Amino acid sequence: MYKYIINAEDIDVLNQDEKLSSMVVEEYFKGNKEYIIYSEEDLINKLKKYNIRFDLQKIVDEDWSVKWKEYLKDGWLTYTTYFTHTPKQFDDRDVLYINPSMAFGTGDHPTTKIAARLLEPLVKDKVVLEVGSGSGILSILSAKKGAKKVFACDNDINTFGNFKENCRLNNVNNIYMWCGSIDSFKTSVKVDIVVANIISSVLLMIKETIFNINPEFIVFSGILVGERETFLKKVSNNYQIDRENIIDGWWGVRLKRC
């Protein structure tokens, strides 16, 4: 396992590569933020291609599937909901247990918090669709906060065992998940809210499909603050900004149907 510590000044450059940007993890060490990529793959040539500066460490003699979880931190997902990685079954609707198991969505990433905080006040008695569900944290939040039904999709089939485990540990049973893209969702199914916490390049690819579903609210997260204006220019005229949120250089928006 390789650990690439990326120079913070090069993050915007790294975001030009969709695969590399999706691998970045933000960690805090002695009060300082670090941008890390953990990978079994040798990424040296790819990083050098973009002239990205980095320090490299090789992690050996560890069961990384367990060891990496030591870096996870518990904290507040929203202003009223706490997330934890301590293995325990929770009936409390204001506490989420999440075992990410290398799927995106630990609860600590700014884009997840942005999406959760824009989403949480809306979900009671609503039908929610999460696109790019990963560990399932936003779907589970919706279910625990009273959503009538939750649909969730992800292109990576390897996330679903983890997603199902998290549903069980949080005692939710009204989430319907499938492996595939948003394109396979039947537009005849009425959805009140769509939430998508994905990198901006993917959001722009799937936005028209989401607009065609015609939900009352759409939550987009995973967008850098500097991309805000460009992104908003491509929003359907049928939607207007209802609320925005910024955390650590990331921006998210809640849109309401006009």
Side-chain angles (χ1 to χ4, degrees):
M1 173 69 70
Y2 296 95
K3 177 180 179 180
Y4 301 87
I5 306 172
I6 308 299
N7 187 301
E9 296 177 358
D10 295 334
I11 286 299
D12 288 343
V13 177
L14 184 143
N15 284 329
Q16 297 175 18
D17 188 295
E18 182 178 320
K19 181 178 178 181
L20 287 176
S21 63
S22 68
M23 298 169 69
V24 176
V25 176
E26 294 180 14
E27 294 181 0
Y28 291 84
F29 180 71
K30 295 184 179 180
N32 296 317
K33 183 190 294 185
E34 291 186 339
Y35 297 93
I36 312 292
I37 294 178
Y38 296 102
S39 176
E40 295 283 2
E41 181 184 355
D42 184 341
L43 301 176
I44 292 175
N45 289 335
K46 289 185 178 180
L47 293 170
K48 286 184 175 179
K49 171 185 173 182
Y50 294 102
N51 294 317
I52 292 171
R53 292 161 292 176
F54 61 91
D55 292 325
L56 176 62
Q57 299 176 10
K58 189 169 183 180
I59 301 171
V60 296
D61 298 326
E62 299 281 9
D63 181 0
W64 185 245
S65 66
V66 175
K67 183 67 177 176
W68 73 278
K69 296 179 183 178
E70 294 179 8
Y71 295 93
L72 298 178
K73 298 181 297 180
D74 297 352
W76 290 99
L77 178 63
T78 71
Y79 303 111
T80 61
T81 301
Y82 195 79
F83 68 90
T84 179
H85 306 102
T86 305
K88 178 182 176 183
Q89 195 167 50
F90 286 100
D91 295 313
D92 189 337
R93 65 192 294 270
D94 294 326
V95 180
L96 272 70
Y97 169 69
I98 296 295
N99 173 16
S101 188
M102 298 303 277
F104 180 79
T106 66
D108 194 45
H109 196 275
T111 64
T112 308
K113 291 179 179 179
I114 289 170
R117 293 171 188 185
L118 295 172
L119 176 67
E120 185 183 59
L122 305 176
V123 298
K124 186 173 175 57
D125 298 323
K126 302 294 186 181
V127 177
V128 179
L129 167 61
E130 182 184 5
V131 184
S133 51
S135 66
I137 189 167
L138 296 174
S139 291
I140 293 168
L141 173 70
S142 300
K144 296 193 79 167
K145 292 297 180 176
K148 182 163 50 178
K149 184 182 293 185
V150 181
F151 297 100
C153 65
D154 198 296
N155 285 325
D156 185 356
I157 195 170
N158 295 313
T159 66
F160 282 91
N162 173 231
F163 191 163
K164 290 180 179 179
E165 177 193 12
N166 288 331
C167 288
R168 177 181 61 81
L169 291 167
N170 285 279
N171 297 308
V172 296
N173 54 19
N174 63 338
I175 298 176
Y176 304 87
M177 60 190 78
W178 80 96
C179 182
S181 70
I182 183 64
D183 294 327
S184 58
F185 187 73
K186 294 181 179 179
T187 55
S188 59
V189 178
K190 183 181 183 302
V191 172
D192 301 301
I193 305 163
V194 175
V195 56
N197 176 28
I198 315 173
I199 59 174
S200 58
S201 59
V202 176
L203 291 178
L204 291 173
M205 288 172 55
I206 65 175
K207 64 181 177 61
E208 292 304 324
T209 304
I210 292 176
F211 290 139
N212 288 336
I213 293 173
N214 199 33
E216 182 181 2
F217 290 96
I218 301 172
V219 174
F220 287 128
S221 186
I223 307 156
L224 292 167
V225 170
E227 299 173 321
R228 177 186 180 276
E229 297 304 322
T230 301
F231 190 88
L232 287 176
K233 289 178 182 178
K234 299 179 181 180
V235 168
S236 166
N237 292 332
N238 295 327
Y239 285 85
Q240 61 186 9
I241 296 174
D242 184 58
R243 187 173 176 183
E244 302 175 69
N245 201 345
I246 294 174
I247 301 177
D248 291 343
W250 294 94
W251 173 78
V253 62
R254 186 169 76 206
L255 302 174
K256 189 177 190 303
R257 191 176 63 221
C258 300

